[in-house]
């Protein structure tokens, strides 16, 4: 049992409780940032005359050696996991003391694990956010590539999972590009509040050495410093913001997954999943299952769970640090990993996706998806939209009974419903004009989509 405290105790800690209390098996992930934070803090201490120049050099080179070992010797780190450290902070301080002797014991002067762990988490999360932002961009690039390659492909658009109006496949891809764009904006906004430094807040009340926190923050690349030590050491709202951004983003990925699971089924046959990201059945030889997408959909639930975990951990805590907060880490780390891996797998799915444009087009002709355009045609003839709506409803019902589409219903039949119907009606209900007419900004008209695609491409700058 290697802990940073003990003088006040007369009996040995129970072994079973030790492992219940210890966090090293999971906060080992913070080892690098804990060392980086400690290097900056050691420099801060030297400015407060806790270390002289020679001592500082020794401490910093000890910490740098540890950093190298943590980065390059995974086996050494792994072995340390079972060597009885209470947490990552104890590990770093005690390993440093092994390297530099008693000097290492001065490193924690004025610092608490409370301001230290809050700082570590923010440093770690900042880097994770930057990695996530890159992965979102990579996936957006893949969506745009599919949209650019298939910019002419027409597919049915659905509401209530019923055929509604035809849209361009590229418009559909761009809809997810937009969702991911907002995921990026949310994450960048969250990063602003993550990138504020708690170090120098002590356990709760502040640091007695009048350590220059602004210089510390600059050293560690923080944008600013926290303004209140009680708040700084004991809120985890920055982690909650990340978990909530992750949940919203995973919800987006889950909906894309759900669409593609449907679209690759035999019932739709709009797309074909790459063999690279599909699996077979142990019993049914014919099967090809979209497991990659189902897992992404499933992992969204896991991500929501992590958000709920931390919200619930935090909700009843009295002010300042409480050990409950150690429970923040596993949820946060899991959501970081889950989001990251889901983005990468989704990219692989999109990159290896092939389309069946002829099936999509065939289906886009079915389902009376041009009925609204027929109503618009009658509006142009002078009918109020509500009347036109009713009239077209009757025409559709008639066409269904006849087994005909609005494109091949004879003019005479149209005229039985409305005497002024003329041959122009066929132009109004033709797929091409149906699409072209959706030319409002953000609509699916091919010209609009072409512009949107160009805009997206130049925004993404890849
Ligand atoms: N392992 C602890 C955590 O993750 C570090 C802070 C411990 N602070 C304390 N006062 N025991 O929250």
């Amino acid at each position: 049992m290697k802990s940073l405290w003990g003088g006040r105790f007369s009996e040995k800690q129970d072994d079973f409780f030790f492992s219940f209390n210890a966090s090293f098996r999971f906060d080992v992930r913070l080892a690098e940032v804990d060392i980086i934070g400690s290097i900056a803090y050691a420099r801060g201490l030297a400015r407060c005359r806790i270390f002289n120049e020679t001592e500082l050099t020794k401490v910093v080179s000890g910490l740098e050696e540890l950093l190298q070992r943590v980065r390059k010797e995974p086996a050494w780190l792994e072995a340390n996991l079972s060597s009885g450290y209470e947490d990552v902070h104890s590990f770093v301080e005690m390993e440093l003391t092994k390297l530099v002797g008693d000097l290492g014991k001065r490193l924690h002067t004025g610092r608490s694990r409370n301001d230290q762990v809050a700082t570590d988490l923010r440093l770690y999360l900042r880097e994770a956010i930057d990695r996530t932002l890159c992965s979102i961009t990579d996936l957006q690039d893949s969506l745009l590539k599919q949209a650019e390659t298939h910019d002419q492909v027409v597919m049915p658009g659905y509401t209530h999972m019923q055929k509604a109006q035809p849209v361009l496949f590229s418009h559909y891809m761009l809809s997810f590009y937009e969702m991911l764009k907002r995921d990026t904006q949310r994450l960048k906004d969250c990063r602003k509040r993550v990138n504020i430094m708690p170090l120098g807040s002590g356990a709760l009340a502040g640091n007695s050495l009048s350590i220059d926190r602004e210089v510390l923050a600059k050293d560690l690349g923080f944008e600013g410093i926290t303004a209140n030590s009680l708040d700084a050491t004991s809120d985890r709202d920055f982690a909650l913001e990340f978990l909530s951004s992750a949940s919203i983003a995973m919800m987006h990925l889950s909906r894309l997954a759900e669409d593609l699971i449907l679209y690759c089924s035999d019932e739709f046959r709009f797309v074909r999943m790459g063999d690279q990201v599909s699996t077979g059945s142990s019993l049914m030889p014919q099967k090809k299952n979209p497991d990659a997408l189902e897992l992404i959909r499933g992992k969204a639930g896991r991500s929501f769970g992590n958000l709920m975990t931390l919200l619930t951990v935090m909700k009843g805590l009295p002010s300042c640090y409480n050990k409950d907060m150690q429970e923040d880490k596993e949820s946060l780390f899991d959501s970081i990993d889950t989001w990251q891996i889901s983005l990468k797998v989704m990219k692989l799915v999109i990159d290896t996706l092939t389309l069946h444009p002829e099936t999509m087009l065939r289906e886009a002709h079915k389902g009376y998806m041009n009925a609204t355009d027929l109503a618009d045609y009658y509006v142009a003839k002078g009918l109020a939209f509500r009347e036109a709506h009713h009239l077209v409803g009757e025409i559709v019902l008639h066409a269904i009974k006849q087994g005909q589409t609005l494109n091949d219903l004879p003019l005479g039949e149209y005229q039985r419903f409305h005497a002024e119907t003329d041959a122009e009606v066929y132009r109004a209900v033709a797929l091409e004009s149906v699409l072209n007419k959706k030319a409002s900004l953000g609509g699916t008209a091919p010209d609009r989509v072409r512009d949107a695609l160009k805009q997206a491409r130049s925004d993404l700058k890849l």
Side-chain angles (χ1 to χ4, degrees):
M1 291 179 205
K2 297 175 191 161
S3 305
L4 296 171
W5 46 270
R8 184 232 180 277
F9 293 80
S10 39
E11 286 188 75
K12 187 179 157 293
Q13 197 175 45
D14 180 84
D15 285 342
F16 189 58
F17 170 67
F18 175 83
S19 46
F20 177 73
N21 183 52
S23 52
F24 193 35
R25 71 183 179 284
F26 51 86
D27 68 15
V28 62
R29 281 211 199 202
L30 301 175
E32 275 194 47
V33 289
D34 195 79
I35 298 169
I36 290 166
S38 294
I39 293 175
Y41 194 69
R43 294 204 170 108
L45 287 179
R47 288 188 290 272
C48 299
R49 314 234 171 282
I50 300 291
F51 295 127
N52 65 30
E53 271 311 306
T54 337
E55 290 167 339
L56 175 65
T57 311
K58 207 165 161 197
V59 169
V60 169
S61 60
L63 286 166
E64 272 164 359
E65 186 177 334
L66 276 185
L67 189 59
Q68 288 313 311
R69 297 192 78 171
V70 163
R71 283 182 177 155
K72 301 203 175 119
E73 297 175 39
W76 171 77
L77 196 58
E78 182 70 32
N80 267 294
L81 284 183
S82 47
S83 63
Y85 286 113
E86 184 179 295
D87 57 23
V88 66
H89 323 293
S90 322
F91 162 73
V92 170
E93 184 176 316
M94 290 178 173
E95 287 297 317
L96 174 70
T97 305
K98 278 193 204 164
L99 288 174
V100 303
D102 283 352
L103 273 182
K105 296 183 183 170
R106 278 192 241 161
L107 177 65
H108 210 54
T109 318
R111 187 171 66 167
S112 160
R113 282 181 291 171
N114 298 353
D115 59 347
Q116 188 177 3
V117 76
T119 305
D120 288 2
L121 269 182
R122 286 166 184 264
L123 285 171
Y124 185 86
L125 188 53
R126 187 176 74 186
E127 198 268 333
I129 287 175
D130 293 343
R131 266 188 296 129
T132 310
L133 286 170
C134 289
S135 302
I136 298 177
T137 307
D138 287 348
L139 175 55
Q140 285 179 303
D141 176 55
S142 298
L143 292 169
L144 289 189
K145 277 188 184 132
Q146 283 287 9
E148 285 156 352
T149 316
H150 302 288
D151 61 341
Q152 302 298 317
V153 172
V154 182
M155 68 186 281
Y158 298 83
T159 61
H160 311 266
M161 219 41 235
Q162 305 290 316
K163 283 201 171 96
Q165 290 183 325
V167 294
L168 287 185
F169 174 78
S170 46
H171 194 55
Y172 167 68
M173 285 283 103
L174 277 167
S175 71
F176 281 96
Y177 169 87
E178 287 296 322
M179 294 177 221
L180 293 177
K181 189 161 101 184
R182 290 192 299 279
D183 292 340
T184 296
Q185 290 163 348
R186 247 185 303 279
L187 198 48
K188 284 185 174 164
D189 199 52
C190 164
R191 192 190 193 280
K192 289 184 204 154
R193 283 174 291 281
V194 167
N195 201 20
I196 301 292
M197 187 194 73
L199 194 60
S201 299
L204 73 163
N207 182 298
S208 326
L209 300 170
S210 12
I211 199 152
D212 191 336
R213 298 186 61 214
E214 302 279 1
V215 178
L216 274 180
K218 206 160 166 267
D219 260 18
L220 291 170
F222 281 108
E223 270 299 312
I225 58 174
T226 52
N228 179 294
S229 60
L230 305 177
D231 166 48
T233 46
S234 72
D235 203 356
R236 294 292 182 264
D237 58 354
F238 67 91
L240 284 165
E241 274 193 53
F242 177 86
L243 291 174
S244 104
S245 306
S247 297
I248 294 172
M250 285 299 297
M251 176 274 292
H252 287 151
L253 294 184
S254 181
R255 291 190 72 181
L256 175 57
E258 169 64 10
D259 277 352
L260 296 176
I261 289 167
L262 289 173
Y263 294 165
C264 76
S265 70
D266 203 41
E267 282 64 23
F268 279 82
R269 271 183 55 81
F270 286 180
V271 298
R272 192 182 146 275
M273 293 272 293
D275 284 356
Q276 299 92 322
V277 289
S278 304
T279 57
S281 154
S282 59
L283 175 69
M284 299 166 280
Q286 86 285 7
K287 291 276 280 174
K288 178 173 164 187
N289 296 327
D291 288 28
L293 293 167
E294 291 167 85
L295 277 169
I296 290 172
R297 193 175 55 186
K299 282 178 192 296
R302 175 177 175 146
S303 177
F304 304 171
N306 289 334
L307 170 62
M308 215 38 68
T309 297
L310 189 56
L311 278 172
T312 313
V313 164
M314 296 302 293
K315 77 172 273 291
L317 294 187
S319 271
C320 305
Y321 181 83
N322 297 270
K323 194 59 175 265
D324 316 46
M325 287 161 63
Q326 180 163 287
E327 293 292 317
D328 58 5
K329 285 169 206 59
E330 287 158 294
S331 309
L332 182 63
F333 296 157
D334 188 69
S335 277
I336 291 172
D337 294 348
T338 299
W339 191 359
Q340 181 69 20
I341 202 166
S342 303
L343 285 165
K344 285 189 181 302
V345 171
M346 187 58 97
K347 177 178 167 55
L348 203 54
V349 168
I350 300 296
D351 286 344
T352 53
L353 197 70
T354 43
L355 266 53
H356 294 298
E358 58 311 325
T359 318
M360 291 195 214
L361 185 63
R362 190 186 66 223
E363 291 304 315
H365 278 110
K366 294 188 196 162
Y368 303 93
M369 289 196 291
N370 44 6
T372 315
D373 304 273
L374 181 58
D376 291 342
Y377 164 83
Y378 285 118
V379 166
K381 289 247 167 268
L383 263 67
F385 178 74
R386 193 51 55 218
E387 283 159 9
H389 185 286
H390 190 79
L391 174 68
V392 173
E394 289 174 340
I395 297 174
V396 167
L397 185 62
H398 173 75
I400 291 172
K401 284 185 190 148
Q402 303 290 306
Q404 278 168 319
T405 69
L406 296 178
N407 307 67
D408 55 25
L409 192 68
L411 189 57
E413 309 244 335
Y414 271 116
Q415 284 163 344
R416 277 175 49 206
F417 288 89
H418 194 279
E420 281 166 44
T421 315
D422 54 23
E424 274 297 300
V425 73
Y426 296 106
R427 212 162 35 169
V429 297
L431 184 61
E432 202 187 335
S433 55
V434 167
L435 281 169
N436 284 335
K437 274 196 304 194
K438 305 298 176 303
S440 59
L441 286 174
T444 197
D447 286 350
R448 284 283 171 242
V449 177
R450 199 171 307 120
D451 292 347
L453 203 46
K454 259 195 227 147
Q455 184 64 51
R457 184 46 90 190
S458 90
D459 290 348
L460 200 64
K461 287 185 205 77
L462 265 183

